[in-house]
Amino acid sequence: MGDASPEAAAAKAEAMRGFLISLPSYLYLVLFFAVPFVIVLVYSFASRSSTGRTVLGDWNLVSYKRLFDPLVAQIAFRSLWLALATTLLCLVVAYPFAYFIATRTPRVRNALLILVMIPFWSNFLVRTYAWRVLLGSDGPVSQITQVLGLGETRLLFTVWAILIGLVYGFLPFMVLPLYAAIERMDWSLVEAARDLYASGWTAFRKVTWPLTTPGVIAGSILVFIPALGAYVTPAILGGARTVLLGDYIVDQFLAARNWPYGSALSVALMTVMLFATFVYFRAGGRNL
Amino acid sequence: MERLLAANAWAVFAFFYLPILVLIVLSFNENRNVNIWTGFSTRWYGEILDNADVLRALRNSLVVAGVSTVCSTALGTAAALAVERFRFRGRRLFDGLLYLPIIIPDVTMAVMMLLFFVQALDLVNGLLGTRLNLGLATISLSHIAFNISFVAVVVRARLGQLDPAIEEAAADLYAGRWQVFRRVTLPLILPGVLGGALLALTLSLDDVVITSFVSGPGSTTLPVYVFGLVRRGVTPLINAVSTVMLLGSMLLVGLSLMVQRRPATLGGGNR
């Protein structure tokens, strides 16, 4: 009977319309995203000839076994703690910062937000390069420390330079979702807590923080994921002894020419990312 | 407490802006050695204009950014409308697929694109006997692939704010589906569409990793070219090019603030 009624026919036509509107981008994403994903998956099981060519055939798990190399563990560990440290530092700095902006008058707030948007939209490569200039052995930072009698700073090409670069690069990604969450918050709830004699700290811990956790989680994901896969930052600010997952993967394609191994590394990285995002959505976050 | 918050805020702003300012100031240093200030000069800007490689890379960047922005804005807006306004089979899968390019790190996206195009070009060249290679086309196609999602997110945010009653009112007044879209929905979401387009433009002009994987000989974009220079060291020419790129970014921020009017979130507007 369902198909016969005019409502059902209309609903069907409506569904068809929606499908057709989505079709061009749907097909595009299948062809240029889903298919490439499958190809990477296939490559990760392929083998490599002695000349470095990838042989599609003779499928094996060699590339995946290499993931358990101590070298990989070292690189993965370094990437992981740098990404976590970046996320944590961004959170600690950005939360009070976003709180400050959200509690200004609308006019001041909009002006400050524009000041946040500018670095957010500015070229990432250029912003990273600025630190290469600043931290150079005879660069401005080193010149200042020398004048102060602290001696030369030798931060460039160390993990600390990478950490600074990552925090600098991704801080706006943390600020904006936090700001959105704090600004959206129902302040009367905080007032109610204070009326009930909660101290400022208790009110924050029991009311403000829980109400803004979606922003905290969104910001953390937005910082953690690109930080874990970072390539530009370590390539510019890091050295030969500070290889991270991002530049390690790129090396497999542009230098070592071991595509199956690079593919396996990519698959592993994607799995971690998808897991992290899954946790985020399970935690109830919705806004990216 | 208030004082601490204010102090932290100004420290963050200083952190955001001082490095950029130092870079801009140093780009006007006359000396070949970036760190020894000998006087104000615009000579490095003049050298940009004489540098054929930089100019070609800039042209490539603009072509790729233009093409990918137009295509991804059209595709991304349609995608946003479909998931936000319709129920259809496969909608959830599409929704998920739409989010993935945002979540996935650049490096893995770059690997995916490289392997895909190597295979695809092999196949096409084998079938048609052509000699197609990696180049501006593959760069543009890759940029569209990640930009669709970003445009869709921005447009969806705008659609979400829209009161459906307005569209229903138009339909009650016997406006056809297309008329409702053309006369009501599109004008209302236009700030979101333009905002998404500007984000796509920015991302396309920013991208280093994906582009360097799918570019061929002679098809380097400006960021990829600069990245190659930067890895070799700091030069006054890079400082000047960087300053120009920063100015370009700021122009885009200004434009996006103008079209979105309410600079509330990265998508523009509150929910």
Side-chain angles (χ1 to χ4, degrees), chain A residues 28 32 43 104 115 129 168, chain B residues 2 16-17 113 141 239:
Chain A
Y28 197 95
F32 292 102
Y43 261 78
R104 295 309 96 185
L115 289 176
Y129 169 72
Y168 186 68
Chain B
E2 186 60 30
F16 274 152
Y17 283 97
M113 290 299 134
L141 288 169
N239 290 354

Side-chain angles (χ1 to χ4, degrees), chain A residues 169-224:
Chain A
F170 298 128
L171 190 56
F173 292 82
M174 184 66 95
V175 173
L176 291 174
L178 280 177
Y179 167 80
I182 296 171
E183 202 251 3
R184 249 201 313 261
M185 194 177 68
D186 185 356
W187 289 96
S188 61
L189 294 171
V190 183
E191 279 161 33
R194 294 306 298 265
D195 287 347
L196 295 168
Y197 303 106
S199 68
W201 170 242
T202 313
F204 174 79
R205 203 168 48 88
K206 298 261 171 135
V207 181
T208 313
W209 178 260
L211 283 176
T212 51
T213 34
V216 172
I217 297 171
S220 302
I221 292 273
L222 287 180
V223 172
F224 179 77

Side-chain angles (χ1 to χ4, degrees), chain B residues 156-224:
Chain B
R156 275 180 88 169
R158 189 81 197 181
L159 272 171
Q161 292 167 21
L162 214 68
D163 187 352
I166 304 173
E167 287 166 307
E168 282 158 23
D172 287 348
L173 294 168
Y174 300 106
R177 292 298 303 227
W178 174 248
Q179 268 182 309
V180 173
F181 174 73
R182 184 69 194 71
R183 297 290 176 86
V184 180
T185 317
L186 188 62
L188 285 171
I189 61 169
L190 199 59
V193 175
L194 292 176
L198 285 164
L199 182 61
L201 196 62
T202 307
L203 291 171
S204 178
L205 289 172
D206 268 14
D207 181 68
V208 172
V209 191
I210 297 164
T211 308
S212 59
F213 266 61
V214 295
S215 66
S219 65
T220 344
T221 60
L222 189 59
V224 173

